[in-house]
Amino acid sequence: MSVHTTLKSALIGLAALGLTVTGALADQLDDIKAAGKITVATEMHYAPFDILENGQYVGFNRDLFDEIAKELGVTPEYQDLPWTAILPGLEVKKFDFVTAPVTYTPERAERYAFTAPISDATVMMVQKAGGALTKPEDAKGKTVGAQQGTAQLAQLEAFGKKIGGITIKEYASTDEAYADVAAGRLDAAVASAPLINYMVKQRPEVFAAVNPPFGDPTYFGFVARKEGTETLIKAINDAMAKMQADGRFAKIQEKWIGAKTELPTEMPKL
């Protein structure tokens, strides 16, 4: 092999390496702004955060992310997917971002980039109105429902071991679990406290919250992929901080959750 050929091969190799590094360092926020839109996924059956009402997408997250998108200068495009398909879909780049409320856990933090908290996510039980549970510990020996693949399911499993045993039934959605509670087929179901409190407020003749919340205090956030999203996460956090300062965040909280709640400016480490 000649010196010329060897040098040429080396230069081609370096060029290829340069392209690889450039690709790896691609900034997702730049790509989103160039496209003029951000494609996001959520499950539109998670009131009060995501609701499909007469074919229209509404809820806390819709109002919040519409305002965030305005701050980013892009148009949001929303996709409705089953919860179990959302995080895997993010990883294989079927969409840009996840606006479903994702409960922060150390395991998820290793895999995904979290925004600052959008809401409290501490787990709570709900039972049929007039039910026998006076506190979460009364669920010992009872059957309690939870949505598959959620942090609330994991918290329920740990709580069941702690109090001496709970029969757990898994559901594809919280709505299905709530329906079985209302029909008397379940003693209780679990979800985050904002969801339970919203539902009980809407249907007090059917459901009753089991107070207090239990398990480790935690928060919901939005999530992105780990690589190339640092500026995107910062821009979204900056937008939420601006909304907290000018009162827009509080108005959305009051509209959908019923009260203003102070939240950390970054996701607390567990």
Side-chain angles (χ1 to χ4, degrees), residues 109-170:
E110 290 181 2
R111 201 161 183 171
Y112 308 104
F114 273 81
T115 65
I118 63 165
S119 173
D120 171 64
T122 306
V123 67
M124 178 182 269
M125 286 186 191
V126 64
Q127 64 180 337
K128 189 174 181 179
L133 306 184
T134 61
K135 58 186 183 299
E137 289 78 7
D138 293 339
K140 178 179 178 180
K142 306 292 187 181
T143 302
V144 181
Q147 187 177 15
Q148 297 169 347
T150 62
Q152 288 72 34
L153 171 59
Q155 292 254 33
L156 178 62
E157 290 170 340
F159 184 68
K161 292 177 182 177
K162 179 180 176 181
I163 68 172
I166 291 175
T167 300
I168 298 174
K169 186 173 181 181
E170 297 184 26

Short mmCIF file of all heavy atoms in Angstrom, two decimals, residues 109-170:
data_model
loop_
_atom_site.label_atom_id
_atom_site.label_comp_id
_atom_site.label_asym_id
_atom_site.label_seq_id
_atom_site.Cartn_x
_atom_site.Cartn_y
_atom_site.Cartn_z
N ALA A 109 -34.39 8.09 36.17
CA ALA A 109 -33.45 9.21 36.01
C ALA A 109 -32.16 8.77 35.34
O ALA A 109 -31.49 9.57 34.70
CB ALA A 109 -33.14 9.83 37.37
N GLU A 110 -31.81 7.49 35.48
CA GLU A 110 -30.62 6.97 34.80
C GLU A 110 -30.86 6.83 33.30
O GLU A 110 -29.92 6.87 32.51
CB GLU A 110 -30.24 5.61 35.39
CG GLU A 110 -29.68 5.69 36.81
CD GLU A 110 -29.28 4.32 37.33
OE1 GLU A 110 -29.40 3.34 36.58
OE2 GLU A 110 -28.85 4.24 38.50
N ARG A 111 -32.12 6.70 32.92
CA ARG A 111 -32.46 6.38 31.53
C ARG A 111 -32.99 7.56 30.73
O ARG A 111 -32.84 7.61 29.51
CB ARG A 111 -33.50 5.26 31.54
CG ARG A 111 -33.61 4.49 30.26
CD ARG A 111 -34.30 3.18 30.52
NE ARG A 111 -34.38 2.36 29.34
CZ ARG A 111 -34.78 1.09 29.35
NH1 ARG A 111 -35.12 0.51 30.49
NH2 ARG A 111 -34.83 0.40 28.22
N TYR A 112 -33.63 8.51 31.45
CA TYR A 112 -34.27 9.63 30.78
C TYR A 112 -33.85 10.96 31.42
O TYR A 112 -33.42 10.99 32.58
CB TYR A 112 -35.80 9.50 30.85
CG TYR A 112 -36.31 8.17 30.38
CD1 TYR A 112 -36.74 7.21 31.29
CD2 TYR A 112 -36.35 7.86 29.02
CE1 TYR A 112 -37.20 5.97 30.86
CE2 TYR A 112 -36.81 6.63 28.58
CZ TYR A 112 -37.23 5.68 29.51
OH TYR A 112 -37.66 4.46 29.08
N ALA A 113 -34.03 12.04 30.68
CA ALA A 113 -33.76 13.38 31.19
C ALA A 113 -35.08 13.98 31.67
O ALA A 113 -36.02 14.15 30.87
CB ALA A 113 -33.15 14.26 30.10
N PHE A 114 -35.17 14.31 32.95
CA PHE A 114 -36.38 14.87 33.54
C PHE A 114 -36.34 16.40 33.55
O PHE A 114 -35.29 17.00 33.76
CB PHE A 114 -36.54 14.40 34.98
CG PHE A 114 -37.25 13.08 35.14
CD1 PHE A 114 -36.57 11.89 34.96
CD2 PHE A 114 -38.58 13.03 35.50
CE1 PHE A 114 -37.21 10.68 35.11
CE2 PHE A 114 -39.23 11.82 35.66
CZ PHE A 114 -38.54 10.64 35.46
N THR A 115 -37.51 17.00 33.36
CA THR A 115 -37.65 18.42 33.61
C THR A 115 -37.80 18.65 35.12
O THR A 115 -37.84 17.70 35.91
CB THR A 115 -38.91 18.98 32.93
OG1 THR A 115 -40.08 18.39 33.54
CG2 THR A 115 -38.90 18.71 31.45
N ALA A 116 -37.92 19.91 35.51
CA ALA A 116 -38.32 20.24 36.88
C ALA A 116 -39.73 19.68 37.11
O ALA A 116 -40.47 19.39 36.16
CB ALA A 116 -38.31 21.74 37.08
N PRO A 117 -40.14 19.49 38.37
CA PRO A 117 -41.47 18.93 38.64
C PRO A 117 -42.61 19.76 38.06
O PRO A 117 -42.55 21.00 38.06
CB PRO A 117 -41.54 18.93 40.18
CG PRO A 117 -40.13 18.89 40.64
CD PRO A 117 -39.37 19.71 39.62
N ILE A 118 -43.63 19.06 37.58
CA ILE A 118 -44.85 19.73 37.15
C ILE A 118 -45.95 19.56 38.19
O ILE A 118 -46.94 20.30 38.18
CB ILE A 118 -45.34 19.20 35.78
CG1 ILE A 118 -45.69 17.72 35.86
CG2 ILE A 118 -44.30 19.47 34.70
CD1 ILE A 118 -46.51 17.22 34.69
N SER A 119 -45.80 18.56 39.10
CA SER A 119 -46.83 18.31 40.11
C SER A 119 -46.32 17.30 41.13
O SER A 119 -45.40 16.52 40.85
CB SER A 119 -48.10 17.74 39.45
OG SER A 119 -49.05 17.34 40.41
N ASP A 120 -46.93 17.32 42.29
CA ASP A 120 -46.74 16.26 43.28
C ASP A 120 -47.26 14.95 42.69
O ASP A 120 -48.21 14.94 41.90
CB ASP A 120 -47.51 16.60 44.55
CG ASP A 120 -47.54 15.45 45.55
OD1 ASP A 120 -46.46 15.07 46.04
OD2 ASP A 120 -48.63 14.90 45.81
N ALA A 121 -46.64 13.82 43.09
CA ALA A 121 -47.08 12.52 42.57
C ALA A 121 -47.19 11.46 43.66
O ALA A 121 -47.20 10.27 43.37
CB ALA A 121 -46.11 12.04 41.49
N THR A 122 -47.28 11.89 44.92
CA THR A 122 -47.36 10.93 46.02
C THR A 122 -48.59 10.03 45.84
O THR A 122 -49.67 10.49 45.47
CB THR A 122 -47.43 11.66 47.37
OG1 THR A 122 -46.32 12.55 47.46
CG2 THR A 122 -47.37 10.68 48.52
N VAL A 123 -48.43 8.74 46.13
CA VAL A 123 -49.47 7.76 45.84
C VAL A 123 -50.58 7.79 46.91
O VAL A 123 -50.33 8.05 48.09
CB VAL A 123 -48.86 6.35 45.72
CG1 VAL A 123 -48.32 5.85 47.04
CG2 VAL A 123 -49.86 5.36 45.14
N MET A 124 -51.82 7.53 46.46
CA MET A 124 -52.99 7.55 47.33
C MET A 124 -53.94 6.45 46.90
O MET A 124 -53.93 6.02 45.74
CB MET A 124 -53.68 8.91 47.24
CG MET A 124 -54.94 9.05 48.06
SD MET A 124 -55.71 10.70 47.85
CE MET A 124 -54.91 11.58 49.19
N MET A 125 -54.78 5.98 47.83
CA MET A 125 -55.82 5.00 47.51
C MET A 125 -57.17 5.69 47.36
O MET A 125 -57.44 6.71 48.00
CB MET A 125 -55.95 3.96 48.63
CG MET A 125 -54.84 2.95 48.68
SD MET A 125 -55.18 1.67 49.92
CE MET A 125 -53.58 0.88 49.97
N VAL A 126 -58.01 5.08 46.54
CA VAL A 126 -59.40 5.50 46.41
C VAL A 126 -60.29 4.27 46.55
O VAL A 126 -59.93 3.18 46.10
CB VAL A 126 -59.66 6.20 45.05
CG1 VAL A 126 -59.45 5.25 43.87
CG2 VAL A 126 -61.04 6.83 45.02
N GLN A 127 -61.42 4.44 47.21
CA GLN A 127 -62.38 3.35 47.37
C GLN A 127 -63.77 3.82 46.96
O GLN A 127 -63.97 5.01 46.68
CB GLN A 127 -62.40 2.88 48.83
CG GLN A 127 -62.90 3.93 49.80
CD GLN A 127 -62.93 3.45 51.24
OE1 GLN A 127 -63.00 2.25 51.50
NE2 GLN A 127 -62.87 4.38 52.18
N LYS A 128 -64.70 2.90 46.92
CA LYS A 128 -66.08 3.27 46.63
C LYS A 128 -66.63 4.09 47.79
O LYS A 128 -66.28 3.86 48.95
CB LYS A 128 -66.92 1.99 46.45
CG LYS A 128 -68.32 2.22 45.92
CD LYS A 128 -69.00 0.90 45.63
CE LYS A 128 -70.41 1.12 45.06
NZ LYS A 128 -71.08 -0.17 44.73
N ALA A 129 -67.45 5.08 47.49
CA ALA A 129 -68.04 5.89 48.54
C ALA A 129 -68.74 5.00 49.56
O ALA A 129 -69.48 4.08 49.20
CB ALA A 129 -69.03 6.88 47.94
N GLY A 130 -68.47 5.26 50.85
CA GLY A 130 -69.03 4.43 51.91
C GLY A 130 -68.23 3.17 52.20
O GLY A 130 -68.67 2.32 52.99
N GLY A 131 -67.04 3.05 51.57
CA GLY A 131 -66.20 1.87 51.78
C GLY A 131 -65.66 1.78 53.19
O GLY A 131 -65.73 2.73 53.98
N ALA A 132 -65.05 0.61 53.50
CA ALA A 132 -64.65 0.30 54.87
C ALA A 132 -63.26 0.79 55.25
O ALA A 132 -62.90 0.76 56.43
CB ALA A 132 -64.73 -1.21 55.09
N LEU A 133 -62.46 1.25 54.29
CA LEU A 133 -61.09 1.65 54.60
C LEU A 133 -61.06 3.04 55.24
O LEU A 133 -61.59 4.00 54.69
CB LEU A 133 -60.23 1.65 53.34
CG LEU A 133 -60.19 0.37 52.50
CD1 LEU A 133 -59.21 0.52 51.34
CD2 LEU A 133 -59.84 -0.84 53.35
N THR A 134 -60.45 3.13 56.41
CA THR A 134 -60.32 4.43 57.08
C THR A 134 -58.90 4.98 56.98
O THR A 134 -58.68 6.15 57.25
CB THR A 134 -60.69 4.31 58.57
OG1 THR A 134 -59.80 3.39 59.21
CG2 THR A 134 -62.13 3.82 58.73
N LYS A 135 -57.97 4.14 56.58
CA LYS A 135 -56.57 4.53 56.38
C LYS A 135 -55.94 3.52 55.44
O LYS A 135 -56.48 2.40 55.26
CB LYS A 135 -55.82 4.60 57.71
CG LYS A 135 -55.82 3.31 58.51
CD LYS A 135 -55.17 3.52 59.86
CE LYS A 135 -55.09 2.23 60.67
NZ LYS A 135 -56.44 1.65 60.95
N PRO A 136 -54.80 3.83 54.81
CA PRO A 136 -54.20 2.90 53.85
C PRO A 136 -53.89 1.53 54.44
O PRO A 136 -54.03 0.51 53.75
CB PRO A 136 -52.92 3.62 53.42
CG PRO A 136 -53.21 5.06 53.63
CD PRO A 136 -54.08 5.13 54.84
N GLU A 137 -53.49 1.48 55.70
CA GLU A 137 -53.14 0.20 56.33
C GLU A 137 -54.32 -0.77 56.40
O GLU A 137 -54.12 -1.99 56.51
CB GLU A 137 -52.59 0.45 57.74
CG GLU A 137 -51.21 1.09 57.78
CD GLU A 137 -51.22 2.58 57.50
OE1 GLU A 137 -52.32 3.18 57.39
OE2 GLU A 137 -50.11 3.16 57.38
N ASP A 138 -55.56 -0.25 56.31
CA ASP A 138 -56.73 -1.12 56.32
C ASP A 138 -56.85 -1.97 55.06
O ASP A 138 -57.69 -2.86 54.99
CB ASP A 138 -58.00 -0.28 56.48
CG ASP A 138 -58.10 0.40 57.83
OD1 ASP A 138 -57.42 -0.05 58.77
OD2 ASP A 138 -58.84 1.41 57.94
N ALA A 139 -55.99 -1.71 54.07
CA ALA A 139 -56.01 -2.50 52.84
C ALA A 139 -55.36 -3.87 53.01
O ALA A 139 -55.38 -4.69 52.08
CB ALA A 139 -55.30 -1.74 51.72
N LYS A 140 -54.80 -4.14 54.17
CA LYS A 140 -54.20 -5.46 54.42
C LYS A 140 -55.24 -6.55 54.17
O LYS A 140 -56.36 -6.51 54.68
CB LYS A 140 -53.70 -5.55 55.86
CG LYS A 140 -53.09 -6.91 56.21
CD LYS A 140 -52.59 -6.93 57.64
CE LYS A 140 -52.03 -8.30 58.02
NZ LYS A 140 -51.54 -8.33 59.42
N GLY A 141 -54.87 -7.53 53.34
CA GLY A 141 -55.78 -8.63 53.02
C GLY A 141 -56.83 -8.29 51.97
O GLY A 141 -57.63 -9.15 51.60
N LYS A 142 -56.83 -7.06 51.46
CA LYS A 142 -57.81 -6.62 50.47
C LYS A 142 -57.23 -6.71 49.06
O LYS A 142 -56.04 -6.96 48.87
CB LYS A 142 -58.25 -5.18 50.75
CG LYS A 142 -58.75 -4.93 52.16
CD LYS A 142 -60.06 -5.63 52.44
CE LYS A 142 -60.61 -5.22 53.80
NZ LYS A 142 -61.88 -5.92 54.11
N THR A 143 -58.09 -6.49 48.07
CA THR A 143 -57.66 -6.46 46.67
C THR A 143 -57.64 -5.01 46.19
O THR A 143 -58.64 -4.31 46.27
CB THR A 143 -58.60 -7.29 45.79
OG1 THR A 143 -58.63 -8.64 46.27
CG2 THR A 143 -58.13 -7.29 44.34
N VAL A 144 -56.48 -4.60 45.70
CA VAL A 144 -56.27 -3.20 45.30
C VAL A 144 -55.73 -3.18 43.87
O VAL A 144 -54.82 -3.94 43.52
CB VAL A 144 -55.29 -2.48 46.24
CG1 VAL A 144 -55.11 -1.02 45.83
CG2 VAL A 144 -55.79 -2.57 47.69
N GLY A 145 -56.26 -2.29 43.05
CA GLY A 145 -55.85 -2.19 41.65
C GLY A 145 -54.83 -1.09 41.42
O GLY A 145 -54.78 -0.10 42.15
N ALA A 146 -54.02 -1.27 40.37
CA ALA A 146 -53.03 -0.27 39.98
C ALA A 146 -52.74 -0.42 38.49
O ALA A 146 -52.90 -1.51 37.92
CB ALA A 146 -51.74 -0.44 40.78
N GLN A 147 -52.29 0.68 37.87
CA GLN A 147 -51.97 0.64 36.45
C GLN A 147 -50.62 -0.02 36.22
O GLN A 147 -49.66 0.22 36.96
CB GLN A 147 -51.95 2.06 35.86
CG GLN A 147 -51.78 2.08 34.35
CD GLN A 147 -51.83 3.49 33.78
OE1 GLN A 147 -51.71 4.46 34.52
NE2 GLN A 147 -52.00 3.61 32.48
N GLN A 148 -50.55 -0.84 35.18
CA GLN A 148 -49.32 -1.54 34.83
C GLN A 148 -48.18 -0.57 34.54
O GLN A 148 -48.39 0.49 33.95
CB GLN A 148 -49.55 -2.41 33.59
CG GLN A 148 -50.55 -3.52 33.77
CD GLN A 148 -50.93 -4.18 32.47
OE1 GLN A 148 -50.63 -3.67 31.39
NE2 GLN A 148 -51.59 -5.33 32.54
N GLY A 149 -46.98 -0.94 34.96
CA GLY A 149 -45.78 -0.20 34.59
C GLY A 149 -45.62 1.15 35.25
O GLY A 149 -44.79 1.95 34.80
N THR A 150 -46.38 1.42 36.31
CA THR A 150 -46.31 2.73 36.96
C THR A 150 -45.51 2.66 38.26
O THR A 150 -45.39 1.62 38.90
CB THR A 150 -47.71 3.27 37.29
OG1 THR A 150 -48.36 2.37 38.20
CG2 THR A 150 -48.55 3.40 36.03
N ALA A 151 -45.00 3.83 38.66
CA ALA A 151 -44.32 3.93 39.95
C ALA A 151 -45.31 3.70 41.08
O ALA A 151 -44.93 3.21 42.16
CB ALA A 151 -43.67 5.29 40.09
N GLN A 152 -46.58 4.04 40.85
CA GLN A 152 -47.59 3.82 41.89
C GLN A 152 -47.81 2.33 42.15
O GLN A 152 -48.03 1.92 43.30
CB GLN A 152 -48.91 4.50 41.48
CG GLN A 152 -48.88 6.01 41.57
CD GLN A 152 -48.04 6.67 40.49
OE1 GLN A 152 -47.97 6.17 39.35
NE2 GLN A 152 -47.40 7.79 40.82
N LEU A 153 -47.72 1.52 41.10
CA LEU A 153 -47.80 0.07 41.28
C LEU A 153 -46.64 -0.42 42.12
O LEU A 153 -46.82 -1.23 43.05
CB LEU A 153 -47.79 -0.63 39.92
CG LEU A 153 -47.64 -2.16 39.93
CD1 LEU A 153 -48.77 -2.82 40.71
CD2 LEU A 153 -47.57 -2.71 38.50
N ALA A 154 -45.43 0.06 41.84
CA ALA A 154 -44.26 -0.35 42.63
C ALA A 154 -44.40 0.07 44.09
O ALA A 154 -44.06 -0.69 45.01
CB ALA A 154 -42.99 0.26 42.02
N GLN A 155 -44.93 1.27 44.32
CA GLN A 155 -45.14 1.74 45.69
C GLN A 155 -46.18 0.87 46.41
O GLN A 155 -46.05 0.56 47.59
CB GLN A 155 -45.61 3.20 45.68
CG GLN A 155 -44.54 4.17 45.22
CD GLN A 155 -43.96 4.99 46.36
OE1 GLN A 155 -43.84 4.53 47.49
NE2 GLN A 155 -43.60 6.22 46.06
N LEU A 156 -47.23 0.47 45.69
CA LEU A 156 -48.26 -0.39 46.28
C LEU A 156 -47.68 -1.74 46.65
O LEU A 156 -47.98 -2.30 47.72
CB LEU A 156 -49.43 -0.55 45.31
CG LEU A 156 -50.57 -1.48 45.79
CD1 LEU A 156 -51.22 -0.93 47.05
CD2 LEU A 156 -51.61 -1.65 44.68
N GLU A 157 -46.84 -2.30 45.77
CA GLU A 157 -46.21 -3.59 46.07
C GLU A 157 -45.36 -3.50 47.33
O GLU A 157 -45.42 -4.40 48.20
CB GLU A 157 -45.36 -4.03 44.87
CG GLU A 157 -46.19 -4.42 43.66
CD GLU A 157 -45.35 -4.62 42.40
OE1 GLU A 157 -44.20 -4.11 42.35
OE2 GLU A 157 -45.83 -5.28 41.47
N ALA A 158 -44.58 -2.44 47.46
CA ALA A 158 -43.75 -2.27 48.65
C ALA A 158 -44.60 -2.07 49.89
O ALA A 158 -44.31 -2.61 50.97
CB ALA A 158 -42.81 -1.07 48.46
N PHE A 159 -45.68 -1.30 49.76
CA PHE A 159 -46.57 -1.04 50.90
C PHE A 159 -47.26 -2.33 51.34
O PHE A 159 -47.43 -2.58 52.54
CB PHE A 159 -47.60 0.02 50.52
CG PHE A 159 -48.50 0.44 51.64
CD1 PHE A 159 -48.00 1.16 52.71
CD2 PHE A 159 -49.85 0.14 51.62
CE1 PHE A 159 -48.84 1.57 53.75
CE2 PHE A 159 -50.69 0.53 52.64
CZ PHE A 159 -50.18 1.25 53.72
N GLY A 160 -47.67 -3.15 50.37
CA GLY A 160 -48.31 -4.43 50.70
C GLY A 160 -47.41 -5.33 51.52
O GLY A 160 -47.85 -5.96 52.48
N LYS A 161 -46.13 -5.40 51.16
CA LYS A 161 -45.18 -6.20 51.92
C LYS A 161 -45.01 -5.64 53.33
O LYS A 161 -44.89 -6.39 54.30
CB LYS A 161 -43.83 -6.23 51.20
CG LYS A 161 -43.85 -7.00 49.89
CD LYS A 161 -42.50 -6.92 49.19
CE LYS A 161 -42.54 -7.66 47.86
NZ LYS A 161 -41.24 -7.54 47.12
N LYS A 162 -45.02 -4.32 53.43
CA LYS A 162 -44.81 -3.66 54.71
C LYS A 162 -45.94 -3.95 55.70
O LYS A 162 -45.70 -4.16 56.90
CB LYS A 162 -44.68 -2.15 54.49
CG LYS A 162 -44.48 -1.34 55.76
CD LYS A 162 -44.37 0.14 55.43
CE LYS A 162 -44.26 0.98 56.70
NZ LYS A 162 -44.18 2.43 56.37
N ILE A 163 -47.19 -3.97 55.21
CA ILE A 163 -48.32 -4.13 56.12
C ILE A 163 -48.80 -5.57 56.24
O ILE A 163 -49.74 -5.85 56.99
CB ILE A 163 -49.50 -3.22 55.72
CG1 ILE A 163 -50.11 -3.65 54.39
CG2 ILE A 163 -49.07 -1.76 55.70
CD1 ILE A 163 -51.40 -2.90 54.03
N GLY A 164 -48.18 -6.50 55.51
CA GLY A 164 -48.51 -7.90 55.69
C GLY A 164 -49.34 -8.53 54.60
O GLY A 164 -49.88 -9.63 54.79
N GLY A 165 -49.45 -7.87 53.45
CA GLY A 165 -50.08 -8.53 52.30
C GLY A 165 -51.27 -7.80 51.72
O GLY A 165 -52.24 -7.50 52.43
N ILE A 166 -51.20 -7.51 50.41
CA ILE A 166 -52.30 -6.96 49.63
C ILE A 166 -52.36 -7.76 48.33
O ILE A 166 -51.33 -8.04 47.72
CB ILE A 166 -52.08 -5.47 49.30
CG1 ILE A 166 -52.19 -4.59 50.56
CG2 ILE A 166 -53.08 -4.98 48.26
CD1 ILE A 166 -51.86 -3.13 50.31
N THR A 167 -53.55 -8.14 47.92
CA THR A 167 -53.72 -8.76 46.61
C THR A 167 -53.80 -7.65 45.58
O THR A 167 -54.67 -6.77 45.67
CB THR A 167 -54.99 -9.62 46.55
OG1 THR A 167 -54.90 -10.66 47.53
CG2 THR A 167 -55.17 -10.24 45.17
N ILE A 168 -52.89 -7.66 44.63
CA ILE A 168 -52.80 -6.57 43.66
C ILE A 168 -53.29 -7.04 42.30
O ILE A 168 -52.89 -8.09 41.80
CB ILE A 168 -51.35 -6.06 43.55
CG1 ILE A 168 -50.89 -5.49 44.90
CG2 ILE A 168 -51.22 -5.01 42.45
CD1 ILE A 168 -49.44 -5.11 44.94
N LYS A 169 -54.17 -6.25 41.69
CA LYS A 169 -54.66 -6.52 40.35
C LYS A 169 -54.18 -5.40 39.44
O LYS A 169 -54.40 -4.22 39.73
CB LYS A 169 -56.19 -6.60 40.34
CG LYS A 169 -56.75 -7.04 38.98
CD LYS A 169 -58.26 -7.27 39.06
CE LYS A 169 -58.80 -7.72 37.71
NZ LYS A 169 -60.28 -7.93 37.76
N GLU A 170 -53.51 -5.76 38.34
CA GLU A 170 -52.95 -4.77 37.42
C GLU A 170 -53.91 -4.48 36.27
O GLU A 170 -54.60 -5.38 35.77
CB GLU A 170 -51.61 -5.25 36.87
CG GLU A 170 -50.55 -5.43 37.95
CD GLU A 170 -49.20 -5.81 37.38
OE1 GLU A 170 -48.93 -5.47 36.21
OE2 GLU A 170 -48.41 -6.45 38.10
#
